[in-house]
Each structure stands twice: as C-alpha cells, then as structure tokens.
Amino acid sequence: MKHLLSVIPLICLVHLSFSQSHLKPGIWRGQLKTKSGNLLPFNFDVKDVAGKQQLFIHNGSERFKVTDIRQKGDSVLIHMPLFNSEFKLKQDKNGLKGRWIKHYADHDMLMDFDAVAGINWRFVNNPAVPKLNIGGLWTAVFVTDKGKQDTTVGEFYQTGSKLTGTFLTTTGDYRYLEGIVDGNKLHLSTFDGGHAFLFTADIKDNKTIVNGVYYDGYDDVEKWTAYRNPKAALPDAYSLTKLKPGYKKIAFSFPDLNGKKVSLTDPKYKNKVVIIQMMGSWCPNCMDETNFLVNSYYKKYHPKGVEIIGLAYERTTDFNKSKTTLTQLKNRFNIPYTLLITGYTPAKGDPVKSLPALENYRGFPTTIIIDKKGNVSKIHTGFSGPGTGKYYTEFVAEFEKLTDNLLAEK
C-alpha cells in the first residue's frame, strides 16, 4: 500500500509534464503478452479530434474512446478513462513498446505491450477457410485450476472467418468479443482497460468445441469446452438474489462524494420508485449498466418519479481514493444521480455485510428495485450489456415494463 501511495503523486506529476502526443493517425494493431507467452491482440484507431489525438479501441461493434494521450520525446503515456489503468510506452520507427499497468488496491499488474501502425487484422492476416460456421447458441463450461466450474451461455456470430459474440453468466457478460475462425481454430479477444481476455479453442465438429483455454489478464487461466445448444439459457436474473425471510426493506446510510450521508429515508426518496445500483468503478459490466441508466433509463423515468442511487464498492476502504475513481466514472458518463461510497470492498462478503437483509448475493452489478412504499419489489443479478444483442434488448423492455407497473401503483 505504501508503494502505491508513493506512485500515485508521481503519476500525477508525469501527467502535468507531458505535452500533446503525435502518434501516426489511422489503424493500429496492439498486443499484450500473458505470463504464458500468449499474445492478446486488439486493434485501435488514432484520430485527430479538435486539435488533440484520441484512441478508439475496437471490440466488435464497440469503439472505446480514450482521450488522455501524452508524449514527451519518445515516451508515451496513455491513461485509460476507467478501471485505473494506463500504458507507459516508448515510440520508435517500428511503433510502440512498453507495458500496460493495471492498479489494484494492494498491487499492480503489468503486461508487456507493443503496437504497430497500419495493420488492420487482429489475429491472422490470411486465416484458413473455416471448416464450420459456429454461429448460434452454445452451452460453455469453464473450469479453474482448482476444479471450480461455471456454466455459461456462448453466443457467436460468424461471417466468413470473422467471429464476434460473448459469453453470458449469471453476474454479467464478457462484453464485446472479436476474433476469427481459422480453419478449425477459434480465437477471440477483448480489451477495454479493465477486461483483457483471450479465448482459444478447437472446433471439433458442428456441435462441439474442445481444448478451450481462457486467459484473463497476465496469469489467470481457465479451461473451457462447449456444445451447441439452441435452447441454452441462464436462470431468471430476478430469481437469484433475494431478501432474507422477514425482510421487506433494506436500509443504509453512506456518504456521497462530498461526504454528506444519504439514506433511503431522506425526503427525496419518499413516494418514489428507487433503483439501487450495487456497483464499482472497477467493474466493466457496471460500466455498461451505468451507460444504460444514464443515457436511456434516467432521462425517461426520472421526470416520472424515479430516483437512482449508486452504491459503490471500491477496491479500497480509503474514502479519498474511492472518491477519485468514482469521480472519474461520474465524469466519463455524466452521471446525474447520487453515488455513495459504502466503505466496503467487493471481497470477503462485504456487500452482504453492508446490506445484511440480502440473501444469496452473487456479484456485481446487482440492482435492487424499490417501490413507492419503500419495499423491495425485485432484485436483478448481473447485467447483460449491449454486447449480448437480444438479451440486452429483452432486459431493457422488461426493466421498463417493471418500472411502469411500479409507477402506476397507488
């Protein structure tokens, strides 16, 4: 912890001393190197926007914007807008080389990185003709090195060699995955400053994917297999987390970003439908949920009598550090609703300790819907973001219908 405290001011000074960067405009191909030596590739555009350079990282249909790019001499610093991570690089005639650094509360994760301009392919320049089309729904089973299993739903879209899709779990999805089918080999990856995922596998036949390996960041590795299943589905997201017997309400009192305590009993929330977003600035699925709440839901429903409270579970119990990361999130999405710093972290059962009425809590994000009488109406576990296609569309329709019904209650 002392090491991190000493590094943060230094980073701030470096930010101040850097001048405008001048990377070659156009498409680039970058790759991160895992501990096992596997390369996790992604593409990004460099564009000149209003006299400044910006990056747009490609993940399927998403273009993830990065605006904080600074250069001094041959040194390039790219600070990611979310998830407390950055690139520290050197630029030469061959491109960029250095490291991606992701900051955690008690340590840093570092991955070697290099990038070359002018390359628009992700995994292979000229992939072999695919032997099969794996588009559709699959039941995928991930197994950790300790034998823990997680059954997910894989949904893939394949056009020629190009492959996109995602894996859906009970707590969220793997966001936008992009890659190829090279003969009978599957390759998918994604990177957004929080996620750094690489998937490889063999396509055995039209119904079976085998020898799958999933690389998460620098050194986390899981094995996976999948079988085609047109009826693959997750359990109802409203059925997983509940209130303990005897409870109808939840209660809390946490400070906002200015240190002012906020509670559900405050007059602001009386006779209102209230959405409680259990989230963290480190959580990519929470980012997708925040984008939905800010840009679609809040604009439509706040004038009708809906309030939203974001309960933040940061990776540190330090109020000021949590405030810094949450302010970054707030500014990124122009969040108009209240964010509270709970002082609890995501680990060791802290979310349940903060809201002891909850039972069978699964993970982030979790959304608690409260009716106008202050009672918990429903609890939604996870979030299927726009990378999940129809699942996202179905969630939005169902969530809005639930809200309309609660607003109509007397």
Side-chain angles (χ1 to χ4, degrees), residues 207-269:
K207 297 181 179 180
T208 317
I209 296 174
V210 298
N211 301 324
V213 185
Y214 160 48
Y215 304 88
D216 177 1
Y218 179 63
D219 57 3
D220 287 342
V221 181
E222 296 182 15
K223 301 295 180 64
W224 67 281
T225 57
Y227 61 91
R228 190 183 290 276
N229 180 6
K231 296 183 179 180
L234 296 172
D236 180 7
Y238 289 102
S239 69
L240 300 174
T241 302
K242 300 179 179 180
L243 292 185
K244 293 177 181 177
Y247 284 88
K248 291 185 178 181
K249 302 177 184 290
I250 60 169
F252 56 79
S253 180
F254 298 122
D256 63 15
L257 298 184
N258 296 316
K260 180 183 177 182
K261 287 290 185 72
V262 174
S263 303
L264 277 172
T265 54
D266 293 346
K268 177 179 180 179
Y269 305 109

Side-chain angles (χ1 to χ4, degrees), residues 118-130:
I119 297 179
N120 62 6
W121 48 269
R122 196 174 184 101
F123 282 95
V124 179
N125 188 17
N126 294 302
V129 176

Side-chain angles (χ1 to χ4, degrees), residues 349-366:
D350 271 13
V352 175
K353 293 177 185 176
S354 71
L355 299 174
L358 293 184
E359 183 175 70
N360 199 30
Y361 179 82
R362 294 293 187 94
F364 293 88
T366 291

Side-chain angles (χ1 to χ4, degrees), residues 160-195:
S161 296
K162 184 176 180 181
L163 184 67
T164 58
T166 194
F167 294 95
L168 296 93
T169 76
T170 54
T171 56
D173 63 272
Y174 287 70
R175 303 197 73 250
Y176 298 88
L177 303 179
E178 180 178 345
I180 60 169
V181 174
D182 181 15
N184 69 337
K185 304 288 185 180
L186 173 153
H187 303 274
L188 287 166
S189 65
T190 191
F191 175 78
D192 56 19
H195 280 121

